[in-house]
Structure formats: structure tokens, C-alpha cells
Amino acid sequence: MEEQGLLNDSLEECCEQFYIWNYFVCLADGGGIEVTGTSLWYVDHAQQVCLQDCTSGGDKATCGGLASSSDQLYDIAKSCCQAQLGYINDDLCEANSLQQEFDGTMEFYPFYQENKCVQNCEEASDLCGGIIQDSSTPMFETIEECCSEKLSHINPDICQELSDPGTGTEKFYSVTSKSRCYKDCELGVGCARINSTSIVLHEDLESCCDAMPWVSSEFCASRSTEEASDLWYASTQNQVCVNDCLVGDGCVPLEDPTAALYATALECCQAKIPSVSSDICADVSEGNPLVGSKLYYVSYTDERCVMDCAPADDVCGGLADSSDELFANATACCEAKLRYKSLLYCETISDGGDYAGSGWYFADYPNSRCLSDCDESIPWCGGIVEESSVEMNETIAGCCDTFFPSIDSDLCAEASDPTSTGTGKYYGVVADSVCVADDEITGARVEDLSTKLYDTIEECCAAALPWVTSYYCESRSNEDYSNLWYVQYPTLCVKDCESGPGCVPLQDSSVKLYDTSLNCCEEKLNWLDSASCDARSNGLELFSDLFYVDYKNNVCKQDCSETDPLPCGGNPSESNSPLYDTLEECCETKLQWNNLDECVASSNGQDTTTAAGSNEYYVNWKLFKCAKDCIGSAPCGGLKNSWDASYSNPSDCCANHLSWIDEAECVLS
């Protein structure tokens, strides 16, 4: 072991080599010396105290055994507590370390749960809040300092009173729900201890009442001392003033804290009840005997307003009770209390009159008319209107315009007047395309009240029947004819009249009419010769001497009397047939497939077989052959046209016009 270095020559060397951190304990345990310790202080974290460096078990209770070399030593226990157990109150730690009783520091600290400051001591008195172990809790010498520093959100007087309960702060606070102030005191009138830390305290009653500006200062001051103001206030419902007092005849303590108060009943009446004579109001308010105020109050039983007078009759309803609201006149009473009644009706019966109705007009919706507010025994009356909910108008016209805006006002007025024989205005009858008068004499009264009326036939035709020509509508509405012209396809115009030459009464009301037959022809039959159309329309025979085609006979004819020689053929059978200045023009244009000479000869009634030709050759394009210009059998191909080229022999004709055809096939044979 010596070779391994585990052996030493002395105990001191051994302890120094192997237990240097606990050297004295090592010496003591090794029996080399007796170690008593330094008597300095070191911390014992497990017990949360400081102990002395000395052997335990002796007479000294503060010894905790010998300190180890790692322990920090302190001269006194408090220094050890402050350095090693700083989270524990210094005084408490020191007392515990010295094994002494600890009654607290007697300083004050905040007790937030109850919004007050308490003393750091055992809870043996009202001031103590228990001993604080935590060093973080702030401590103060006085309650005032504690309240000021840590409970500054609370009124300092309240904080002081809660922390050190006494008989109250002797200051005033308001209770808005009761519109009064209380004094924070134990005994006495108006005393009531505070029960909230949010209360605002006032030095005197006046400043407390001023803090409730919506409350009458007199009301607040009197109620805060458990009294009444003995002033006067208005009861507008009863039209009197009432004394705000507690005991006596006529005393009615005021309940409305915002009401204005007056020194006398007269002042109150003058200020608050101007609708009633101030003297009468004051007398009634002060309880003087009266035969009635001559004011009005409502009688719901009679559904009218009656006068405050006796005995009861058509006007007087007997003396009013104190609960009855009084009014200066029947009108004011009716407007305030019987608003569901017609005001004129209520006024009349309240003043003892017989009501015969207002004479105004109201709507009879089922019958789309207006009736008068009067006894229904009269034809145009609808009965007496008593209810204000029935809207009325002063005149029939006003009633109709207001309540029946979709109905013609004249029709509504006529329906509202049983003596009316009609409006005399006009309305459209679509089926007949005419306008008729709403008149009992004509028997054409309007049945549909949604019908639109017009002052004149012309206005009616234009607005009610716009698709009907004005001439037709206006003439038929006057039971007449227009005597104007309209087209009768295909060749002429006829006159809208009852009888006479050319008269054909118009049946189609939408057909356009013209002042003259010529205008009608020019606009509606513009493909015809207007003069001929005009003549035919007026029953006249007129010829143009021009030429037109007759396809049936394969000729052209002249527009001239059939009694004259050919080519005259009378008027064209088709009124729209084109006309030409010459017979040749007609043949060339309308019968161009015929030989012109033959066409002219045929149209003039000549025998085409006797007509002469040039006997020269020309191309007959219908046959694609060269033929001879002559009438008869082949090689004659009929007479050529004037524009056809001709040749003395067929070879030249074929060579010039049909060269792709063999000559034997080219010549008509």
C-alpha cells in the first residue's frame, strides 16, 4: 500500500491528502484531535434555516454540526439568512435560525383579496393578517403608506377604514338607483356603511348630490335625510300641482327624481300647466273647495270627453277624480284620450251637440266609389263615421283621386253620385272600332270602372284605338261615313260612303284612307297608270292608246275601245299589265320568241301566210338551222327579224354562223 501511495506518516497528512474539503471532521473522526467548530453560521437549505458551525448534541440548540469546507460561513445568522435564504423574510429566518419565537414585524402589507392593508403578525387582532414568510411581500410602516403605494386605485379613506375598521369615514356617497346620498357612518339619520371599494366619497351632502346632475338637488337633499322637500311639483296627467310632503292632506311624495320643484303651487301651475288658469290650478292643487274646474276629462264609458262640473248632463260628467287628467277644452281631451274617434265627432258630442256627419267623403272600396259622411238614409251617404281610422276627403274629386287613383276620376265621381246620368265623355269600344259617349240617353253607360275616358271623339280615337284609322273611328263614332277613298285591289280605289256611285262602305278599320281617288291610286296602285286608275275608280272609261301583251292570243293589243279596229283590244284585263308606246316595242319585249313581223302582222289582224319575205337565208336560232326568209314549207323558216343577218345562199349563212355543223345538216330542209 505504501508503494501505491495510500499510506501517510501522520493523520494530518492523510486528512490533508484525501479529505481536504472536510479536514477538521477528518481529524476529529480519526481521533487525532477534538474539533469544536468555528461557531460561525452556514445555511441548511433542507430546513430553510442557518445553523452554527459546532458539534450538535450539546447544550447549544443552534449547532448544526461541523461545517464542510464547501460551506460559506457568516458571522451572524441574519447575514447568513440574507445571503442564502433571501426568499424568506429576514426577521423570520433569523428567529427560526436562533430558535426564537417570532410574532411578526408588525409592519403593514397589502391584502389584495379584501382591498385593505393588514399587519404582519399572528391573527390575534383585527389588524393582523398573519405572518408573512415570503420576503417578496412589500412591507410598510403605516396603513397610509401601504394604501397609498399598493392600493392606490381605492379611495384612501375607504382603504384606511377597511384596514382599520371604525365607525365610518363620515363622508358622503351617492346611490344612483335611489337618487340620493348616504353618509358613511355607523348611527344616525342617513347613515349607511359603504359596501364597495369603487364608491366615490364626497366631503359634504351638497357635493354628493351635485354628482347626480340629472336628479333635482332638492329631491336628493331631502331624500338623503329621510325627509321630503315640502315643495310643489306638477302632475300633468291631472293638470294640478302636488305638494312633495310626507304627512298632511294633499301630500303625495314625489317619485320622479328629475321633476322640477317649486316653492308654491301657483309658481308650479304657472311654469308647468299653462293650459289651465293658474289661479284655478293653484286652488285645485291646494285643495280649496270648487264646483268643478270647467276643464274636460275623458269618459270611456260614454266614449266622449265631459266637463269637470256637476250635476252630470249632456256636457257635465260630474266632478273629476284626482286620477282624471284634465284638459282645457274638448278638442284637447279628444286628441289625447280618444284618438281612435273622429275628432269632429268627438268634439261635437262632447259639447252636447247632435252629430250629423262631416259631409266629407270616404272610400267604399267594394263598389269603387266615394260616399259622404252623413246619415245613410240619404242616397249618397254612407252613414255616420265615428272612427278616426277612416280616411276622408273634403270633396268627391279629392276622395276619388286619393283612394281610387287607378280609376278615371270622372267615372269614380259619377259612380259616387246616384243622380248622375253619365259623364258625357267618350270611351273606346274595341269590338266596333268606335268611341261612344258615357251617357244614359245613348244607353252606352260605362260598366267597367277601369275604362279610360276622353273629352272628345278625336282624343278617344287617337288614344284608345290607335290601330284604327282616325277617319274611320271618328266617322263611325259619329254614326257616319268618312267619304274618303281606299284601295280595292287589284285595279281601282273605292269611296267609303253609304250609297251612290263608287260607294263601298269600309269594313276594315285599319285600312288607310285618302282624300281623293287619285291620291289613293298613286300610293296604293302605283304600278298602274294613275289616270286610268282614277278614271276606273270614278266609273269613267278611259284609254291610254298604249300597247300591252295578250299572252292568250299571242299578240299585242292597243289600250283603246274594242269597237275600234285592231290592234284595239280595250283596257288590259290585268290592271298591272306593262304598257308600251308602240306595237313593235310590245312584240319585241313581251313576245320576243316570235318573229317581229309576224307578231306585228298578227296583232294587226293580218294573215301571216301572205306576208312577203326577202327569200334570203338567215339563222333560225330556235332550230339552229339556216332557213329562207319566207312563209311556207322548208327551206322557209318564217320571216326573219329585222336584226337578223341575211345571205343570198345557205353556204355563206352556215359558214358565218354554224361552221361547226356539216352544211348538209346546217340547212333547213
Side-chain angles (χ1 to χ4, degrees):
M1 293 180 64
E2 184 177 359
E3 293 176 354
Q4 295 177 351
L6 298 178
L7 296 177
N8 298 91
D9 293 333
S10 65
L11 177 62
E12 288 81 359
E13 290 179 1
C14 179
C15 286
E16 184 175 359
Q17 180 178 354
F18 296 106
Y19 299 100
I20 188 62
W21 64 87
N22 213 1
Y23 179 74
F24 293 106
V25 173
C26 176
L27 289 177
D29 290 344
I33 62 171
E34 180 180 357
V35 180
T36 59
T38 64
S39 294
L40 299 179
W41 297 83
Y42 66 92
V43 68
D44 182 352
H45 288 289
Q47 298 184 61
Q48 292 190 329
V49 294
C50 285
L51 300 174
Q52 272 189 305
D53 177 26
C54 53
T55 56
S56 57
D59 296 334
K60 211 170 186 180
T62 58
C63 288
L66 296 176
S68 68
S69 60
S70 62
D71 288 326
Q72 181 71 40
L73 298 176
Y74 300 90
D75 292 335
I76 59 175
K78 192 165 190 175
S79 298
C80 175
C81 285
Q82 291 174 339
Q84 298 295 327
L85 296 171
Y87 55 90
I88 299 175
N89 181 275
D90 292 349
D91 296 317
L92 175 62
C93 177
E94 183 180 22
N96 290 338
S97 299
L98 295 174
Q99 300 293 309
Q100 297 173 351
E101 291 291 331
F102 184 70
D103 296 328
T105 65
M106 307 308 288
E107 295 174 300
F108 293 90
Y109 63 90
F111 184 33
Y112 294 108
Q113 292 89 331
E114 296 184 9
N115 287 304
K116 65 180 181 178
C117 287
V118 295
Q119 207 164 20
N120 184 20
C121 54
E122 291 292 344
E123 297 182 22
S125 69
D126 292 336
L127 293 178
C128 292
I131 294 176
I132 293 298
Q133 296 187 15
D134 186 356
S135 64
S136 64
T137 301
M139 295 290 173
F140 302 91
E141 293 295 326
T142 65
I143 292 176
E144 290 79 8
E145 290 179 15
C146 177
C147 287
S148 174
E149 291 294 327
K150 293 301 177 180
L151 295 170
S152 58
H153 60 284
I154 301 172
N155 182 288
D157 293 319
I158 295 176
C159 182
Q160 176 73 41
E161 181 64 23
L162 292 175
S163 302
D164 186 8
T167 59
T169 63
E170 296 295 317
K171 294 187 178 182
F172 293 85
Y173 63 93
S174 61
V175 179
T176 56
S177 62
K178 295 185 177 181
S179 301
R180 60 164 290 177
C181 291
Y182 288 92
K183 189 175 184 181
D184 178 30
C185 53
E186 195 72 41
L187 299 173
V189 176
C191 284
R193 296 302 302 274
I194 56 175
N195 57 9
S196 171
T197 58
S198 62
I199 289 175
V200 177
L201 294 177
H202 303 274
E203 294 295 330
D204 52 47
L205 178 59
E206 182 179 358
S207 61
C208 180
C209 287
D210 288 344
M212 295 183 289
W214 61 91
V215 179
S216 164
S217 59
E218 294 88 351
F219 181 93
C220 176
S222 62
R223 294 326 188 255
S224 299
T225 56
E226 311 294 343
E227 296 176 353
S229 67
D230 201 27
L231 299 176
W232 295 82
Y233 65 92
S235 172
T236 53
Q237 179 180 358
N238 298 321
Q239 295 288 289
V240 295
C241 286
V242 182
N243 190 207
D244 175 34
C245 51
L246 300 178
V247 180
D249 294 337
C251 285
V252 180
L254 177 62
E255 295 182 0
D256 181 5
T258 65
L261 290 164
Y262 300 89
T264 66
L266 181 61
E267 289 179 10
C268 174
C269 289
Q270 290 171 336
K272 304 301 289 185
I273 310 178
S275 60
V276 179
S277 165
S278 298
D279 293 330
I280 292 176
C281 172
D283 284 341
V284 173
S285 301
E286 292 171 353
N288 295 327
L290 293 173
V291 295
S293 66
K294 303 301 181 183
L295 302 177
Y296 284 81
Y297 64 93
V298 67
S299 171
Y300 288 111
T301 303
D302 298 331
E303 290 193 305
R304 69 186 183 111
C305 288
V306 294
M307 187 178 285
D308 175 26
C309 55
D313 55 22
D314 290 342
V315 177
C316 292
L319 295 178
D321 295 332
S322 59
S323 62
D324 289 320
E325 185 176 358
L326 298 174
F327 299 89
N329 50 55
T331 301
C333 177
C334 288
E335 287 179 333
K337 294 298 184 181
L338 295 169
R339 285 175 291 186
Y340 58 90
K341 288 292 182 183
S342 162
L343 180 59
L344 186 57
Y345 168 81
C346 182
E347 288 173 332
T348 303
I349 64 170
S350 296
D351 285 329
D354 292 326
Y355 187 66
S358 65
W360 286 34
Y361 293 85
F362 62 92
D364 176 15
Y365 288 107
N367 296 306
S368 299
R369 61 179 180 170
C370 288
L371 295 176
S372 181
D373 173 25
C374 50
D375 194 314
E376 58 188 349
S377 61
I378 303 172
W380 55 83
C381 294
I384 302 294
V385 175
E386 297 182 7
E387 307 303 318
S388 61
S389 60
V390 178
E391 294 185 68
M392 293 194 288
N393 202 283
E394 191 172 359
T395 64
I396 289 180
C399 175
C400 287
D401 289 342
T402 301
F403 304 121
F404 300 103
S406 62
I407 299 176
D408 186 283
S409 57
D410 292 313
L411 276 180
C412 174
E414 183 269 335
S416 304
D417 182 1
T419 64
S420 174
T421 59
T423 64
K425 294 191 174 184
Y426 295 89
Y427 64 95
V429 180
V430 175
D432 298 331
S433 298
V434 296
C435 288
V436 296
D438 172 38
D439 193 331
E440 195 169 85
I441 298 174
T442 63
R445 295 292 296 277
V446 173
E447 295 181 359
D448 182 1
L449 294 181
S450 65
T451 302
K452 178 71 174 175
L453 295 179
Y454 304 91
D455 291 330
T456 65
I457 287 176
E458 290 77 13
E459 289 179 7
C460 176
C461 287
L465 302 167
W467 61 89
V468 179
T469 61
S470 59
Y471 298 118
Y472 181 92
C473 178
E474 291 170 15
S475 62
R476 296 308 191 273
S477 299
N478 285 305
E479 299 183 353
D480 198 0
Y481 295 88
S482 67
N483 290 312
L484 300 176
W485 296 83
Y486 66 95
V487 68
Q488 189 175 68
Y489 293 108
T491 61
L492 76 164
C493 290
V494 294
K495 196 172 188 179
D496 175 34
C497 49
E498 186 173 11
S499 61
C503 284
V504 180
L506 179 61
Q507 302 299 319
D508 185 352
S509 61
S510 64
V511 170
K512 187 175 182 180
L513 294 165
Y514 299 88
D515 292 334
T516 66
S517 57
L518 181 60
N519 289 344
C520 175
C521 286
E522 288 177 341
E523 182 167 330
K524 303 302 288 186
L525 298 168
N526 53 8
W527 59 87
L528 300 180
D529 179 72
S530 58
S532 299
C533 173
D534 184 42
R536 281 193 297 275
S537 300
N538 285 279
L540 300 176
E541 190 173 33
L542 184 67
F543 300 103
S544 65
D545 289 330
L546 300 177
F547 293 88
Y548 61 91
V549 69
D550 177 3
Y551 287 112
K552 182 177 179 181
N553 295 302
N554 201 32
V555 295
C556 284
K557 292 183 178 181
Q558 191 171 17
D559 179 21
C560 49
S561 177
E562 291 181 286
T563 60
D564 293 337
L566 293 174
C568 287
N571 295 128
S573 59
E574 299 291 336
S575 59
N576 60 347
S577 295
L579 299 174
Y580 300 93
D581 291 332
T582 64
L583 181 60
E584 288 78 8
E585 184 181 0
C586 176
C587 285
E588 288 178 340
T589 303
K590 306 304 288 184
L591 296 170
Q592 67 271 28
W593 56 84
N594 291 335
N595 181 276
L596 177 61
D597 294 328
E598 289 182 6
C599 176
V600 171
S602 299
S603 298
N604 283 316
Q606 298 175 356
D607 183 1
T608 58
T609 59
T610 63
S614 65
N615 288 318
E616 291 190 342
Y617 285 88
Y618 69 97
V619 176
N620 186 323
W621 291 106
K622 291 181 182 179
L623 302 175
F624 269 85
K625 300 281 187 179
C626 280
K628 183 179 279 191
D629 177 24
C630 57
I631 303 296
S633 58
C636 289
L639 300 177
K640 72 178 184 66
N641 294 309
S642 59
W643 59 80
D644 288 329
S646 58
Y647 301 90
S648 58
N649 57 74
S651 298
D652 290 341
C653 174
C654 289
N656 282 285
H657 296 286
L658 300 171
S659 58
W660 64 91
I661 300 176
D662 186 76
E663 184 174 341
E665 296 294 327
C666 172
V667 179
L668 179 66
S669 58

